[in-house]
Amino acid sequence: AILLALALRLVGGLVIRRVTSPLSDTMKAADALAGGDLTARVPVRGGHEFRHLADSFNRMAGALETAADSA
């Protein structure tokens, strides 16, 4: 029973990290972009939804950087 509890805790920790790590990366990049760092990008990794979010964020950041460069 103790081994099962430890295994479940380990698996739960890995699942939580898999979700929170890409979210944390996105939050850091959003804060950097809001602070004026137009080179901020999000690593494209994780599940389908996180990869889609990262790709969308990076395209948006690229468009902002291009607009600022041509202004």
Side-chain angles (χ1 to χ4, degrees), residues 11-68:
V11 170
L14 292 173
V15 169
I16 289 171
R17 184 167 180 222
R18 183 178 165 113
V19 170
T20 59
S21 183
L23 187 56
S24 177
D25 291 341
T26 305
M27 289 172 25
K28 287 176 189 173
D31 286 343
L33 189 65
D37 179 3
L38 300 181
T39 65
R41 300 295 185 272
V42 178
V44 180
R45 63 188 178 96
H48 172 73
E49 293 85 1
F50 286 120
R51 289 192 315 269
H52 182 81
L53 175 62
D55 185 53
S56 295
F57 180 94
N58 292 339
R59 283 186 285 122
M60 176 192 64
L64 287 171
E65 187 175 19
T66 299

